[in-house]
Each structure stands twice: as structure tokens, then as C-alpha cells.
Amino acid sequence: MTMSVGWYLRRLSRMGPQEIAGRVTDTVRRRRWRATPPDCPSVTGARFTAVLPAGTLAAVPADAAKRLVAEADRLMDGHAEFFGVVRDDLADPDWWRDPKTGRRAPSGYAFDVPYRSEDAVGDIKQIWEPSRHQYLTQLAAAYAITGNERYAERVAEHLRSWWETNPPLRGVHWLSGIELGIRLLSWVWVRRLLDGWSGAADLFEGNPVARNQIWHHQRWLAAFPSRGSSANNHVIAEDAGQLAAACAFDWFPESARWRAGALRSLDRQLRANTFLSGLNRELATEYHGLVLELGLAAVAEADAAGVPVPTTVRLVLLRMTDALAAVVDNRLRPPRQGDADDGHGLIVDGAGTDRWGSLLATGEAVFGRLDWWPAVTGTDVRTPLLAALVKPYSKNGTGPAVSRPADRPDHFADAGMTILRGPEEIWCRCDGGPHGFLSIAAHAHADALSVEVRHDGIDVLADPGTYCYHGQPEWRQYFRSTLGHNTLQLDGGDQSVSGGPFLWTRHAQTRVLTADTSGEVARWSAEHDGYQGSVHRRRVELTSESKELRLVDEVSGPARTVQLAFHLGPAITADLVGNRARLTWTRDGEDRSAVLDLPEGLSWRAHRGESEPPLGWYSAGFGRKEPATTLIGTGTTDGTEAFTTVLGFRG
């Protein structure tokens, strides 16, 4: 996907003067850096001291260790899966090849590589992901737990290969700060987890090639921080990686300056990226998880190195953890809101480990659980490792006295998220928040007033997900469109105007009118002005006694065509007759059912797995999609009648 002149003009229009000046400086620096990169300063007597405290590995639960070792053995055999693409070449990977398209990224000066063009490069996410080296942290963790040196030797082999293939500023892996930041964090943990191996020092501190790579990664991050309208989760990864490396690899004349700068930026950017309620401002739950993981990992490195961390950093991470505990359903699944690319900050666990349960377990170890928190029943490797390094919040003066919620929050006014809960674990998310974060709202979807409904953790009215970023514009457009969400579309257009795959040039403004979750009937209502000349208002009521969810949609303004969409989860079978859909599914071997009574004033059709144009899909994870039923009601509105939908659950 090569960007046009029009895209650059639209992108420029969303920048302020300070950001434009910063980007001009970046351009000049990139041209100056085209010459042969300098070697890192000479280092003598480098040592690695940021080791795990004695006894840490003994605290890893046996079942979590078993899952990790099983995953490590798969990796040793060369098997892995990235974003739905199964690979069997990871025993000896080609660092520049995209297995999905078969294309290989061109070489040369990094900033000349047209990474947005799938025709020239392939799927950039497929190329970048293995080079985050998070599979190497898994192998290193398997060594730490088992003592089997074959895992350590494979890690060393792959690191030496990567360093040789990707010298500083050459090729596709020197283009994106988030990639460099996460890679640095992985290297820190690889070195820590290999500490008992006799070759660890020769691989890292005793290796001039490794030192040169570590120095150049940090030099790059200090020179090209994400700026202005791009200062979202990317800048958190940049800061976390820079801080981790400057703490654990404290070998260079610049280390103290890089460390101080990264810590200042992390403090500022964590607060900028997070609502006071604790939810992430991107309103994309996967990125809430990524930022929380990165923040905890960064604090772990600072604490391990004895570097004082501002109390505001810990306070933001505490609020984020409490917010996550508040919004998950009974199966510990958070909302599926906004973009999701399955990005992780630190991976040391095997397949089958619950990401959100792991994060809450770490939060419990670091901050302490509240009485209303959901129980975490799973186990993981990461929690005991992080907990061994991070100072507990309430001890040693690491956190101020803070008032945490006495009861489970269900309305987050600043984020515009409201959770309605009913009997039989009915869970409903109502979206009345800002369109997205910063002027480009890069990871937002056009989903104002959408709802997401689950029954005992099963998606009934589902948020379809994300599926892709680059290379497939028609799919990118669909999965973030208004029609791709459980809300109402007017005149065939989106509520917010897209200027590109990560750019919105006009944002719908949404206002929550009612959010009353107490009592027998929980009520929520909101409106937005995204359709110029018209206002869409939606009311939602969840009645506990009848186990019934009622949605009422109203449109004020001139006569317009209407499409009302309800996307069913992939486990749901629908039998649509007229304006009534009977829904059936199975949970834990038990048959469940519901009835969806749809507005009579619209003509209803079921769609499933259609591609021209896309309609009727569900993406469980990045790069993966499967057919699911979407019910579309078509008609007109002149502003005089409401459209009422009733979802009634049965036993």
C-alpha cells in the first residue's frame, strides 16, 4: 500500500507546527545518517548485574513451566504461527522474508525501504514480528527453567544471525521505533534468563557486535521519537525499551542520559496515553494491554537497577490495572474495542496462557487485589518473574496513598465506556466515548454508539475485530467501518471520515446522556453528530428480571437511508424469519438460546462470509478471520419513528 500525494497532504493537515518542525528535523537527520554509521564507544569491563533474585524460578508454577517448555520445543523444531500464518522455518529464519506473500524486503539504507508497499516488501507485520525476538525470550525462559543448554545455544545462534544480517541502519528492521524498543526489551530479558549459561557473557557484554547493536538501537530511539499525532502506544514501547536497555546494559557514556530521558518521557507519555479512569486513550483494548505490559516491564528494569521511578508512573499503571479488572467479563475477557494487532510487551509463556489473567495476576502481586476484582484461576511464568523485580506498590515508599475504587466501576465517563451486567453473566459494553486518541485517531474504528453483548463469555452481539492493517485496503476499511459494528449507518457512509488506514480526518463527537447501572433496570443512552445534518441517539436498557436487552435507535434530521447492523459471534447460529432471529449456541456442552426481535420498519437479511464487498466476518486475532452471521436491516428514516430491537435470553 503506497501512500499517495493526497494522503501526505491529509496527514500533514492533522499535525501541529511543533510536530511539523520535529519531522523536518528527523528528515534532515535521516539524510545525514545515510553515511557509514559510527561504531559505538569502546567499552571495558562491561558486566550484567540485573539478574533475577535467588529463588525466583522456583516460584514458577509447574503447569505454566510445562506449557512454556512445550512451546519452546515447538520453536526448536522450527514451528511457529504469526498472525494466522503457520511457519516451519523458524529453526533457521530468513529475517527479511514474508512467508505470506513469499516476498523478500529490499536491502539498502533503512529509510529508503518502502515498507508500506506490500508489492515491494510483502506483509511488513509478518517480517517484523519474529524480529521482536519474543520467541527468543520464550526459549531463554525454557533454558532458565530446565537448564537445558540447547535452548540457550539456539538463542545465541539466532541473535548472532540477526545481528549479522541487520547491521545498523540497513534494511527493514531499522524503520520503526516500536520494533526497536520491544526488541531491546527482549534482549534484556534474554540476557537475564540466560545468566546461568556459560556463554551468556560472551554473547552480550563480551561481544563487540552485540554492544554495537545495543548502542545503535538506543541512539536511534533517542534521535527519532514518535511525535505529536503519532505519540500513542509506539512511544511507550520506545521509552520502555530505551529505559530497560539503559538500566540493564549500563555500559556506555550516554547510558545515564538515555535512561533519564526515557524515564521522563515514559512518565509524561503514560499519563498522556491514559484517562484518569485508567482506560487507555486509544480506546483499543489490546493496546491497553500492550501499554500496561510495557509499563510494568519498564518499572521492573528501573527497580532492578535501583533507579528511582516517579510515583506518577506507578499510579498510572495501578489505575490501568484496576480499570482492566473492572471491564472484563466473567471469563476475564475485556472488550473487543478498536484496533488489535496481538502485540505484547514481554512474552515468556507458552501457548494457552491467558493474557488478561496473567496481567491481573501481575497486578495483584504488584499492587494488591481489591475485594471486587474477579478471581484469577490460571497460572503464568511472567508474573513471578516481574514480581521478583518490581517493588510492591505499598512498601518502601514506592507509591503514595491512593483511593482505589471500593466497588467495581461500570461507567468510565472520560472514556465513554459503560458496562451493563445482568444475570447469567450477561455482559454488555456501550460505546459513547471519543472517536480516538490524538488528531489522527490511528487505531480507532467508526463505532460510535455500538454495543457488544456476551452471555457467559460467549460473543452474542460481537465486535468483529481488526484482521489486518496493511496490504488489503478493502478489508481494513470494512473491519473499522460503521457497517462493521453493531450500530446504525446513514446513507451508506461512516460516522467518521477516513483519510487512510491509520488516519481519520473528521471525528464523530459523542455525548453520553444517561448511565445508570443501579437498580433492576440498567440504563444507558448517548448520541453522536457524525452524520452531518442528523443526530443518531441510542438508548439501551438491560432488565435483570426478564433477562432482556432493549435498544432504541432514533435519528433526528432530514430523510435518509438506514442500515442497522447486528454482528453475531462465530459460535452463534441464527434462524432469521421476517424480523425475528432465533439464536442458538453451546457453552461447556450446554445448549443456550436467545431471541432477537428486530425493528419491523426495516427489511432484514442475513449475511455470512461475503467478500465482494466484505460482510459477515469475525476476526479472533490479527491476520485471522472466519465467517460469522451479520444481520442487516435496510430502510429509511424521516426522524419520526424509532427503531426498537429486543434481545431476550432464555435458559
Side-chain angles (χ1 to χ4, degrees):
M1 183 185 298
T2 303
M3 298 305 177
S4 65
V5 173
W7 178 87
Y8 283 104
L9 292 175
R10 292 191 297 272
R11 185 66 182 85
L12 186 65
S13 72
R14 308 304 291 174
M15 301 181 193
Q18 187 174 0
E19 180 179 356
I20 293 173
R23 289 178 181 267
V24 169
T25 300
D26 290 348
T27 299
V28 171
R29 181 175 287 123
R30 288 182 184 123
R31 289 176 179 171
R32 191 170 69 244
W33 280 22
R34 185 181 290 273
T36 302
D39 288 330
C40 76
S42 60
V43 172
T44 58
R47 295 174 59 239
F48 183 84
T49 59
V51 298
L52 289 171
T56 298
L57 295 172
V60 174
D63 59 334
K66 183 178 180 180
R67 289 195 303 272
L68 168 63
V69 172
E71 183 71 16
D73 288 341
R74 286 183 63 247
L75 293 169
M76 291 293 291
D77 290 338
H79 302 302
E81 180 180 331
F82 298 110
F83 309 135
V85 176
V86 176
R87 299 182 59 163
D88 59 8
D89 62 340
L90 216 63
D92 183 22
D94 181 339
W95 301 110
W96 290 7
R97 182 180 180 274
D98 164 29
K100 191 171 81 172
T101 63
R103 297 187 181 98
R104 198 168 188 271
S107 59
Y109 183 55
F111 296 113
D112 290 342
V113 177
Y115 71 96
R116 292 190 178 98
S117 172
E118 187 168 293
D119 290 338
V121 174
D123 186 329
I124 192 63
K125 291 279 287 180
Q126 289 288 344
I127 297 173
W128 276 345
E129 190 67 16
S131 287
R132 289 186 172 188
H133 289 170
Q134 293 176 321
Y135 78 94
L136 295 183
T137 57
Q138 291 174 301
L139 290 174
Y143 162 75
I145 287 173
T146 66
N148 189 327
E149 294 192 354
R150 69 190 186 102
Y151 300 124
E153 290 163 356
R154 176 63 58 82
V155 171
E157 175 188 334
H158 281 204
L159 284 178
R160 293 183 192 278
S161 166
W162 195 94
W163 291 332
E164 179 182 1
T165 307
N166 297 279
L169 298 179
R170 310 304 293 178
V172 74
H173 294 300
W174 289 88
L175 274 165
S176 173
I178 187 174
E179 304 304 317
L180 275 75
I182 290 177
R183 191 155 53 240
L184 277 177
L185 186 60
S186 294
W187 291 352
V188 168
W189 274 92
V190 165
R191 175 61 185 88
R192 174 176 290 126
L193 292 165
L194 293 186
D195 191 61
W197 180 51
S198 60
D202 288 340
L203 179 62
F204 280 92
E205 56 266 32
N207 182 358
V209 175
R211 295 197 306 266
N212 193 51
Q213 284 276 352
I214 293 166
W215 183 80
H216 271 287
H217 272 66
Q218 294 183 86
R219 175 179 181 252
W220 193 108
L221 290 173
F224 301 113
S226 292
R227 303 178 184 276
S229 57
S230 293
N232 54 8
N233 64 84
H234 285 227
V235 77
I236 305 297
E238 294 159 14
D239 291 339
Q242 182 81 294
L243 178 60
C247 287
F249 303 142
D250 183 19
W251 306 330
F252 309 108
E254 304 91 343
S255 291
R257 173 167 55 86
W258 286 338
R259 182 167 58 242
L263 193 54
R264 282 195 306 271
S265 180
L266 182 68
D267 182 22
R268 182 173 66 253
Q269 298 297 345
L270 271 177
R271 285 183 278 127
N273 274 257
T274 310
F275 288 112
L276 288 176
S277 65
L279 290 178
N280 185 267
R281 285 185 181 270
E282 293 202 73
L283 297 170
T285 311
E286 288 279 348
Y287 287 111
H288 182 107
L290 173 63
V291 169
L292 182 53
E293 289 175 353
L294 290 167
L296 289 168
V299 169
E301 297 306 328
D303 284 352
V307 174
V309 175
T311 56
T312 43
V313 169
R314 298 182 198 271
L315 184 58
V316 170
L317 299 176
L318 169 62
R319 293 203 315 266
M320 291 183 72
T321 305
D322 280 342
L324 176 62
V327 300
V328 295
D329 65 20
N330 66 303
R331 303 277 179 154
L332 300 185
R333 292 182 62 215
R336 285 166 50 88
Q337 182 181 22
D339 272 349
D341 73 346
D342 299 352
H344 290 256
L346 173 65
I347 303 178
V348 288
D349 276 283
T353 301
D354 180 67
R355 175 187 194 172
W356 307 104
S358 171
L359 264 175
L360 290 176
T362 303
E364 180 176 346
V366 172
F367 302 118
R369 63 174 285 115
L370 297 173
D371 290 342
W372 54 261
W373 273 31
V376 178
T377 56
T379 62
D380 69 323
V381 175
R382 189 177 61 186
T383 288
L385 302 187
L386 285 176
L389 299 177
V390 179
K391 294 178 181 178
Y393 186 80
S394 59
K395 298 178 182 178
N396 303 321
T398 59
V402 60
S403 177
R404 298 171 68 184
D407 300 301
R408 189 175 201 171
D410 45 36
H411 176 58
F412 298 81
D414 48 10
M417 182 187 293
T418 305
I419 306 294
L420 310 181
R421 298 177 189 270
E424 296 184 0
E425 305 297 352
I426 298 171
W427 177 98
C428 173
R429 172 180 65 87
C430 302
D431 184 349
H435 174 61
F437 182 45
L438 301 173
S439 61
I440 64 172
H443 291 298
H445 291 184
D447 57 358
L449 309 195
S450 65
V451 296
E452 185 184 1
V453 181
R454 300 176 191 159
H455 185 277
D456 195 12
I458 294 289
D459 292 309
V460 178
L461 300 183
D463 184 299
T466 300
Y467 179 53
C468 66
Y469 281 168
H470 301 281
Q472 298 171 282
E474 71 280 7
W475 290 99
R476 174 65 170 153
Q477 180 179 351
Y478 168 70
F479 274 97
R480 66 180 197 150
S481 70
T482 297
L483 190 64
H485 294 83
N486 297 313
T487 188
L488 183 144
Q489 181 192 64
L490 295 183
D491 290 346
D494 288 337
Q495 313 149 334
S496 295
V497 177
S498 172
F502 297 99
L503 171 64
W504 296 91
T505 56
R506 183 169 60 79
H507 303 183
Q509 301 297 314
T510 306
R511 183 165 66 108
V512 174
L513 306 172
T514 306
D516 181 5
T517 59
S518 61
E520 176 64 22
V521 180
R523 293 181 171 86
W524 174 88
S525 65
E527 63 184 20
H528 77 83
D529 64 356
Y531 300 117
Q532 295 181 318
S534 297
V535 173
H536 173 207
R537 177 177 294 181
R538 168 170 278 182
R539 302 196 310 271
V540 179
E541 296 180 350
L542 176 58
T543 303
S544 292
E545 183 178 0
S546 60
K547 294 176 287 189
E548 186 176 272
L549 188 77
R550 178 178 295 266
L551 294 82
V552 180
D553 290 291
E554 300 171 315
V555 179
S556 63
R560 308 183 76 155
T561 60
V562 169
Q563 284 191 298
L564 180 59
F566 290 109
H567 300 265
L568 307 181
I572 307 298
T573 299
D575 180 16
L576 176 66
V577 178
N579 69 310
R580 169 170 282 194
R582 297 187 180 274
L583 314 180
T584 54
W585 66 96
T586 302
R587 165 57 106 179
D588 297 334
E590 179 183 340
D591 292 337
R592 312 276 179 95
S593 66
V595 172
L596 185 62
D597 285 314
L598 302 158
E600 294 181 354
L602 301 176
S603 175
W604 290 91
R605 285 188 58 194
H607 302 263
R608 185 176 179 87
E610 300 171 10
S611 298
E612 296 181 357
L615 189 60
W617 296 93
Y618 179 94
S619 174
F622 197 84
R624 293 177 286 146
K625 69 181 188 298
E626 59 186 299
T629 300
T630 294
L631 305 176
I632 301 289
T634 304
T636 60
T637 177
D638 58 7
T640 61
E641 72 171 305
F643 302 106
T644 300
T645 304
V646 179
L647 174 61
F649 291 95
R650 303 296 182 257

